[in-house]
């Protein structure tokens, strides 16, 4: 018996004790909720991908894909950085759907990390699954798989915000902290390169990330670092345009023509004193828009594609001259139109609402939705349930009011999460308000980031109130 114990039983116990499988089992037991969250998030990510694969695409999306494939020259009408990223993914994978995978990977990585964070703070599984539920809510999933710059912008900012949350909560070594800060900076930079007005949404987030990531208590230094980051975004934009050889197309022309056709009369345009041929194109656009009662996107609907390209690409100075004449002679009429346009955007009529993009536009690039029945089922869920009963969640005015109240409450009542909640609420409000002088449509995608920022801000405010000691 002693021999058995010495030569067989003891070695067996030692080997069992040091068995790697035991360590794995112990790790799983200790982190079973986090592992369950990751697996659930991964399954929802796959389902989300399958519904939209290779990505729903509007005319804008098809244009960018054509630029990626070399079928059209790259222009700055749509963000060159998106062409650059999509091109890299296409070269690596050979799949058009790789852009959809990146887009949804950012979304679900954000939601999974947020769910794990909530469980860490609250120790509650039912609270931890809330972010995953939000991911399949109709006002989130409706456009989550459409290949738009707005979606990439929203998801990159969301991931940056969640990583900033971890930066605040966990005590990382200095090197790791700076690495996370660099990733956050790259995500925010990507967002800013996708939309010019994303900078209004990004500045509060940059300030918070710097506050948590860099050991400085001086507000002046944080502001200086934030200003430096803003400068970097302009430099990066020029670099990306150079790398893609993007042609300058003066996209502001679309906004200018909207202002002109809704503010000036045909006789006013004649008085602006520009080349008669170009003046006639603008006069025709004014006449057509007035007769058809068109407020937005007149460069597409009133000037004709060829004439619109001529004004925007070749003779933007003509539009600028007429626009300048308008500001000088009809400033109050211009402000009246802008307020009217923004009010339509804020209180979007149902007939103009664009919160669902059905599949892929007809195209010459051989792109079709892989699983059409899944898309049709989702349309019923979004249109007949989501918008029908929760249409207010698709309206910009609601999120302005929601965040204004939250901002006031956070500033007065919150402690631990005050800075972060205020930054998110300000980001949501500033982003919506940034459309006031330039709005050219009433698409739901224009407020997509504000929806995520609002929900995250509300969640952090609740955590501050209920679980302040754990934060």
């Amino acid at each position: 018996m002693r021999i058995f114990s010495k030569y067989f039983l003891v070695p067996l116990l030692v080997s069992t004790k040091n068995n790697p499988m035991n360590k794995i089992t112990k790790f799983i037991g200790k982190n079973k909720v986090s592992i369950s969250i990751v697996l659930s998030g991964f399954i929802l990510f796959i389902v989300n991908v399958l519904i939209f694969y290779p990505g729903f695409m509007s005319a804008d999306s098809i244009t960018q894909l054509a630029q990626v494939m070399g079928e059209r020259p790259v222009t700055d009408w749509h963000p060159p950085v998106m062409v650059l990223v999509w091109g890299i993914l296409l070269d690596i994978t050979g799949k058009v759907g790789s852009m959809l995978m990146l887009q949804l990977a950012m979304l679900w990585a954000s939601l999974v990390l947020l769910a794990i964070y909530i469980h860490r703070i609250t120790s509650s599984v039912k609270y931890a699954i809330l972010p995953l539920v939000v991911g399949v809510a109709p006002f989130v999933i409706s456009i989550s798989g459409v290949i738009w710059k707005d979606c990439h912008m929203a998801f990159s900012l969301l991931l940056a915000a969640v990583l900033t949350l971890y930066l605040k909560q966990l005590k990382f070594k200095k090197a790791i902290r700076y690495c996370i800060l660099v990733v956050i900076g790259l995500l925010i930079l990507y967002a800013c390169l996708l939309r010019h007005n994303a900078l209004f949404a990004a500045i509060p987030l940059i300030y918070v990330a710097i506050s948590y990531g860099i050991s400085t208590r001086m507000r002046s230094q944080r502001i200086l670092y934030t200003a430096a980051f803003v400068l970097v975004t302009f430099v990066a934009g020029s670099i990306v345009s150079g790398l893609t050889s993007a042609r300058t197309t003066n996209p502001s022309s679309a906004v200018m023509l909207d202002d002109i056709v809704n503010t000036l009369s045909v006789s006013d345009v004649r008085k602006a004193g520009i080349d008669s041929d170009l003046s006639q194109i603008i006069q025709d656009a004014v006449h057509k828009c007035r007769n058809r009662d068109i407020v937005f996107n007149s460069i597409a609907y009133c000037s004709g594609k060829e004439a619109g390209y001529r004004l925007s690409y070749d003779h933007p100075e003509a539009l600028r001259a007429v626009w300048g004449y308008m500001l000088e002679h009809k400033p109050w009429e211009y402000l009246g139109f802008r307020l009217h346009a923004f009010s339509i955007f804020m209180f979007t009529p149902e007939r103009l609402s664009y919160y669902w993009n059905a599949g892929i536009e007809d195209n010459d690039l051989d792109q079709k939705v892989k699983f059409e029945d899944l898309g049709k089922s989702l349309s019923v869920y979004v249109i007949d349930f989501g918008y029908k009963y929760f249409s207010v969640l698709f309206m910009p005015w609601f999120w302005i009011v929601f965040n204004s109240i939250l901002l006031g409450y956070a500033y007065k009542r919150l402690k631990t999460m005050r800075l972060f909640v205020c930054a998110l609420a300000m980001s949501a409000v500033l982003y919506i308000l940034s459309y006031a002088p330039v709005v050219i449509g009433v698409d739901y995608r224009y407020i997509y980031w504000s929806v995520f920022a609002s929900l995250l801000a509300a969640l952090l405010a609740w955590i501050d109130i209920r679980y302040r000691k754990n934060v």
Side-chain angles (χ1 to χ4, degrees):
M1 190 66 182
R2 289 179 181 178
I3 295 173
F4 176 79
S5 299
K6 181 178 180 180
Y7 293 103
F8 293 97
L9 186 57
V10 173
L12 179 62
L13 290 174
V14 171
S15 64
T16 303
K17 186 178 180 181
N18 297 325
N19 192 334
M21 288 302 297
N22 288 344
K23 295 180 179 179
I24 294 173
T25 304
K26 187 177 180 181
F27 174 82
I28 292 174
K30 189 178 179 180
N31 300 278
K32 59 183 179 181
V33 174
S34 295
I35 293 171
S36 298
I37 290 172
V38 171
L39 290 175
S40 300
F42 181 73
I43 291 170
L44 291 172
F45 161 71
I46 295 298
V47 172
N48 206 166
V49 168
L50 291 177
I51 291 172
F52 288 95
Y53 197 83
F56 284 11
M57 302 182 206
S58 67
D60 290 348
S61 316
I62 293 296
T63 297
Q64 290 226 272
L65 181 56
Q67 293 175 358
V68 171
M69 291 180 165
E71 299 292 328
R72 295 187 187 181
V74 180
T75 70
D76 64 355
W77 194 274
H78 301 296
V81 71
M82 203 162 172
V83 174
L84 183 64
V85 172
W86 204 346
I88 292 171
L89 292 174
L90 193 59
D91 288 341
I92 294 172
T93 65
K95 301 292 183 181
V96 170
S98 56
M99 196 63 163
L100 173 71
M101 300 283 282
L102 171 64
Q103 181 170 314
L104 293 179
M106 288 192 292
L107 170 63
W108 287 102
S110 304
L111 297 177
V112 165
L113 287 172
L114 186 56
I116 293 172
Y117 171 82
I118 292 173
H119 183 259
R120 179 186 177 90
I121 297 298
T122 67
S123 299
S124 170
V125 175
K126 66 178 181 181
Y127 292 148
I129 64 172
L130 283 175
L132 304 186
V133 173
V134 168
V136 296
F139 58 91
V140 170
I141 200 171
S142 61
I143 61 172
S144 64
V146 186
I147 310 298
W148 277 333
K149 58 187 175 184
D150 310 84
C151 297
H152 275 255
M153 186 205 105
F155 300 156
S156 58
L157 287 181
L158 179 63
L159 184 53
V162 174
L163 289 175
T164 303
L165 197 57
Y166 274 80
L167 200 62
K168 177 186 185 303
Q169 177 67 20
L170 301 180
K171 304 300 181 182
F172 295 109
K173 291 182 179 179
K174 194 172 183 179
I176 297 176
R177 177 175 292 273
Y178 284 153
C179 286
I180 295 174
L181 192 59
V182 167
V183 173
I184 292 169
L186 290 174
L187 287 167
I188 296 177
L189 178 62
Y190 179 52
C192 291
L193 294 178
L194 288 165
R195 291 202 71 98
H196 296 304
N197 61 331
L199 199 56
F200 292 94
I203 287 175
L205 300 183
I206 296 165
Y207 182 83
V208 170
I210 289 170
S211 299
Y212 294 155
I214 298 177
S215 300
T216 175
R217 294 185 179 180
M218 295 179 63
R219 185 176 297 177
S220 58
Q221 283 189 336
R222 296 180 206 165
I223 294 173
L224 183 62
Y225 287 138
T226 303
F229 185 91
V230 171
L231 182 61
V232 167
T233 61
F234 289 105
V235 175
S238 299
I239 292 172
V240 170
S241 295
L243 289 173
T244 56
S245 302
R247 179 185 175 186
T248 300
T249 56
N250 305 289
S252 60
S253 300
V255 179
M256 289 183 181
L257 192 60
D258 278 356
D259 294 340
I260 290 167
V261 301
N262 286 281
T263 303
L264 299 181
S265 64
V266 171
S267 60
D268 289 329
V269 176
R270 291 196 192 103
K271 296 174 185 176
I274 62 170
D275 180 89
S276 58
D277 189 23
L278 298 172
S279 178
Q280 189 59 52
I281 293 174
I282 299 174
Q283 290 174 46
D284 290 343
V286 170
H287 180 70
K288 289 178 183 177
C289 275
R290 290 291 177 89
N291 287 343
R292 297 168 62 185
D293 193 27
I294 289 176
V295 174
F296 299 114
N297 208 3
S298 52
I299 201 163
Y301 296 134
C302 304
S303 63
K305 183 178 288 188
E306 187 174 332
Y309 284 160
R310 187 179 176 193
L311 284 172
S312 180
Y313 289 17
D314 302 324
H315 299 285
E317 72 283 349
L319 268 179
R320 292 193 194 104
V322 177
W323 194 75
Y325 176 87
M326 174 199 71
L327 290 181
E328 183 180 353
H329 294 86
K330 298 288 182 76
W332 298 113
E333 289 84 347
Y334 161 72
L335 288 175
F337 162 67
R338 271 293 141 203
L339 286 173
H340 172 61
F342 192 61
S343 68
I344 296 174
F345 171 66
M346 291 287 285
F347 304 92
T348 308
E350 186 175 352
R351 63 185 176 83
L352 296 177
S353 293
Y354 183 25
Y355 56 89
W356 170 257
N357 189 83
I360 299 177
E361 294 275 337
D362 292 336
N363 62 89
D364 300 325
L365 304 176
D366 197 30
Q367 296 301 308
K368 297 180 180 178
V369 176
K370 186 75 171 177
F371 306 103
E372 290 187 4
D373 290 341
L374 291 176
K376 290 177 182 177
S377 299
L378 182 63
S379 70
V380 173
Y381 171 63
V382 171
I383 298 170
D384 296 336
F385 172 71
Y387 189 80
K388 183 176 181 180
Y389 296 105
F390 305 99
S391 60
V392 68
L393 299 178
F394 294 83
M395 299 294 173
W397 72 263
F398 173 81
W399 298 109
I400 287 281
V401 173
F402 179 89
N403 283 285
S404 298
I405 295 171
L406 185 59
L407 188 60
Y409 180 84
Y411 186 77
K412 289 185 177 181
R413 298 294 182 89
L414 299 188
K415 293 183 179 180
T416 308
M417 288 293 183
R418 179 193 295 171
L419 177 63
F420 210 160
V421 172
C422 287
L424 287 166
M426 286 179 62
S427 177
V429 171
L430 289 174
Y431 185 59
I432 293 175
L433 292 179
S434 71
Y435 282 99
V438 296
V439 63
I440 59 170
V442 291
D443 302 8
Y444 171 62
R445 59 177 168 149
Y446 295 156
I447 66 163
Y448 203 39
W449 157 246
S450 295
V451 173
F452 285 105
S454 305
L455 295 175
L456 182 55
L459 174 64
L460 296 184
W462 171 75
I463 286 175
D464 187 290
I465 296 167
R466 289 283 304 273
Y467 299 94
R468 185 170 294 164
K469 293 180 180 179
N470 299 342
V471 179

